[in-house]
């Protein structure tokens, strides 16, 4: 196994160990002091959240619900190893192409799904963080704001320039020999994104389902906080920490949660999150590298 991959897999475990030493927490207490009702509620809420978002994804992509569910839960697992678009977004796209969706459209609509995921969670975090703000959280505030601005600019550009023709800047970019074969895929991808965003019902439904999914995912934390607002803050804080481009948000998630909950609870949440996100690896055998290569060659029009 690649040494870098091993390091990435071990990184969250190492961070948990270091964190335990700093706060003098016995590793066994992470498990022994877990409320079994909290654990059950946590995993039920996580799977329910996946089901809700999968309903949204199935409408966006135009595929069956089970495929959307499989893509979503598997992509969450991949995010533990590879953050960003080359991780979970590409993982979902790979599963979509197995249902006959071309790789350019599959990846572009997977990015559109992330547009809803990132912006909704970022806005929710920016709303609730002020109920319990600390100086460290400024890092996450800037992360949330940066993501919102970048995503709105990027999707806004696609929406405003998507007319199946290249503008002057794009013409210069795709005049480059090695990028020229991607021109049609690029235009198709922009057209698909604009078509989805131009559907007001689908857009409103997507936002609603995304908000609902995060609210459901936050509910288990009510058992430990006894406050709905704090429950939402705990979950949104953790989710925004995942936007920082570090595999499994190792280190940053622990620090972010420390600002709002006790250290022992930080580790309990962290362990449960890692375990829940790992559930999707049951589908890892369904990914065919050869199929991906064929799709990429088709996009690039190469042999």
């Amino acid at each position: 196994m690649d040494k870098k991959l091993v390091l990435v897999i071990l990184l969250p475990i190492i961070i948990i160990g270091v964190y335990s030493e700093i706060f003098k927490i016995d590793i066994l207490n992470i498990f022994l002091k877990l409320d079994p009702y909290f654990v059950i509620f946590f995993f039920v809420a996580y799977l329910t959240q996946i089901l809700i978002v999968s309903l949204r994804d199935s409408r966006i992509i135009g595929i069956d619900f089970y495929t959307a569910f499989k893509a979503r839960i598997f992509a969450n697992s991949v995010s533990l190893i590879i953050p960003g678009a080359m991780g979970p977004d590409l993982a979902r796209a790979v599963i979509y192409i197995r249902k006959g969706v071309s790789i350019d459209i599959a990846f572009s609509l997977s990015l559109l799904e992330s547009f809803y995921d990132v912006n909704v969670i970022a806005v929710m975090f920016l709303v609730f963080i002020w109920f319990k703000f600390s100086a460290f959280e400024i890092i996450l505030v800037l992360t949330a704001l940066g993501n919102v601005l970048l995503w709105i600019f990027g999707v806004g550009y696609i929406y405003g320039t998507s007319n199946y023709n290249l503008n002057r800047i794009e013409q210069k970019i795709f005049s480059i020999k090695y990028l020229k074969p991607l021109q049609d895929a690029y235009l198709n991808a922009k057209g698909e994104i604009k078509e989805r965003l131009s559907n007001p019902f689908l857009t409103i439904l997507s936002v609603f389902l995304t908000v609902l999914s995060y609210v459901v995912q936050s509910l288990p934390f009510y058992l430990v906080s006894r406050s709905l607002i704090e429950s939402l803050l705990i979950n949104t804080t953790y989710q925004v920490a995942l936007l920082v481009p570090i595999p499994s948000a190792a280190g940053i998630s622990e620090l972010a949660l420390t600002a709002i909950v006790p250290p022992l609870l930080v580790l309990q949440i962290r362990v449960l999150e890692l375990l829940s996100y790992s559930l999707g690896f049951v589908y890892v055998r369904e990914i065919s590298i050869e199929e991906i290569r064929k799709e990429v060659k088709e996009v690039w029009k190469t042999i």
Side-chain angles (χ1 to χ4, degrees):
M1 185 180 291
D2 186 84
K3 292 181 179 179
K4 292 182 179 179
L5 180 59
V6 172
L7 178 60
V8 167
I9 294 172
L10 293 178
L11 184 59
I13 299 174
I14 294 171
I15 294 298
I16 288 173
V18 172
Y19 187 94
S20 301
E21 282 297 316
I22 293 174
F23 289 95
K24 307 300 180 183
I25 298 173
D26 187 335
I27 294 292
L28 287 177
N29 283 336
I30 298 175
F31 304 95
L32 294 177
K33 293 188 177 182
L34 265 174
D35 182 347
Y37 293 105
F38 176 63
V39 175
I40 295 171
F41 197 4
F42 185 94
F43 281 99
V44 169
Y46 173 73
L47 291 174
T48 303
Q49 190 258 354
I50 296 294
L51 290 171
I52 294 171
V53 177
S54 298
L55 176 60
R56 181 204 68 188
D57 293 349
S58 67
R59 298 295 295 268
I60 291 175
I61 304 294
I63 56 175
D64 63 278
F65 176 78
Y66 176 66
T67 298
F69 172 81
K70 182 167 58 176
R72 174 61 54 169
I73 198 169
F74 175 71
N76 280 2
S77 297
V78 172
S79 69
L80 295 177
I81 302 173
I82 310 172
M86 291 310 293
D89 295 345
L90 183 57
R92 291 198 303 276
V94 168
I95 293 179
Y96 296 153
I97 66 175
R98 294 177 65 87
K99 286 295 183 177
V101 182
S102 63
I103 192 170
D104 52 337
I105 295 176
F107 186 61
S108 62
L109 294 184
S110 183
L111 288 175
L112 180 59
E113 294 167 354
S114 285
F115 169 73
Y116 290 113
D117 294 333
V118 173
N119 282 282
V120 168
I121 197 62
V123 171
M124 289 176 70
F125 170 76
L126 291 172
V127 169
F128 293 110
I129 187 57
W130 305 112
F131 287 97
K132 198 172 184 178
F133 181 76
S134 67
F136 176 77
E137 301 294 345
I138 191 65
I139 298 174
L140 293 188
V141 169
L142 293 175
T143 298
L145 285 172
N147 272 274
V148 169
L149 292 175
L150 286 173
W151 276 99
I152 289 179
F153 173 80
V155 172
Y157 173 81
I158 290 174
Y159 190 89
T161 62
S162 181
N163 55 8
Y164 291 98
N165 291 305
L166 298 176
N167 57 38
R168 291 182 180 180
I169 296 176
E170 292 170 338
Q171 287 174 0
K172 291 182 179 180
I173 293 174
F174 286 102
S175 65
I176 299 172
K177 179 181 178 180
Y178 295 104
L179 293 180
K180 181 65 176 177
L182 287 174
Q183 178 178 314
D184 290 342
Y186 171 74
L187 290 173
N188 289 338
K190 287 211 302 182
E192 292 292 330
I193 291 176
K194 182 173 183 178
E195 180 182 337
R196 299 317 193 271
L197 290 173
S198 297
N199 183 333
F201 175 77
L202 179 59
T203 300
I204 294 172
L205 179 65
S206 297
V207 172
F208 170 76
L209 290 176
T210 308
V211 172
L212 178 62
S213 72
Y214 285 127
V215 170
V216 169
Q217 191 179 29
S218 302
L219 294 179
F221 299 116
Y222 183 83
L223 296 179
V224 295
S225 68
R226 298 302 175 184
S227 166
L228 181 57
I229 290 178
E230 189 166 346
S231 302
L232 290 164
L233 176 57
I234 292 171
N235 188 45
T236 56
T237 297
Y238 186 87
Q239 297 303 321
V240 169
L242 293 177
L243 299 180
V244 179
I246 299 174
S248 74
I252 190 71
S253 58
E254 287 85 357
L255 290 174
L257 289 172
T258 301
I260 54 178
V261 297
L264 178 59
L265 182 56
V266 169
L267 292 183
Q268 290 175 331
I269 292 172
R270 183 66 170 141
V271 169
L272 290 176
E273 289 282 359
L274 291 173
L275 290 175
S276 63
Y277 271 57
S278 299
L279 294 175
F281 281 126
V282 297
Y283 294 114
V284 70
R285 292 182 178 274
E286 297 196 22
I287 300 300
S288 169
I289 300 301
E290 187 58 33
E291 286 184 34
I292 300 173
R293 287 175 179 169
K294 289 180 180 179
E295 288 288 341
V296 171
K297 284 183 179 181
E298 179 63 25
V299 173
W300 243 282
K301 295 191 173 86
T302 59
I303 299 176

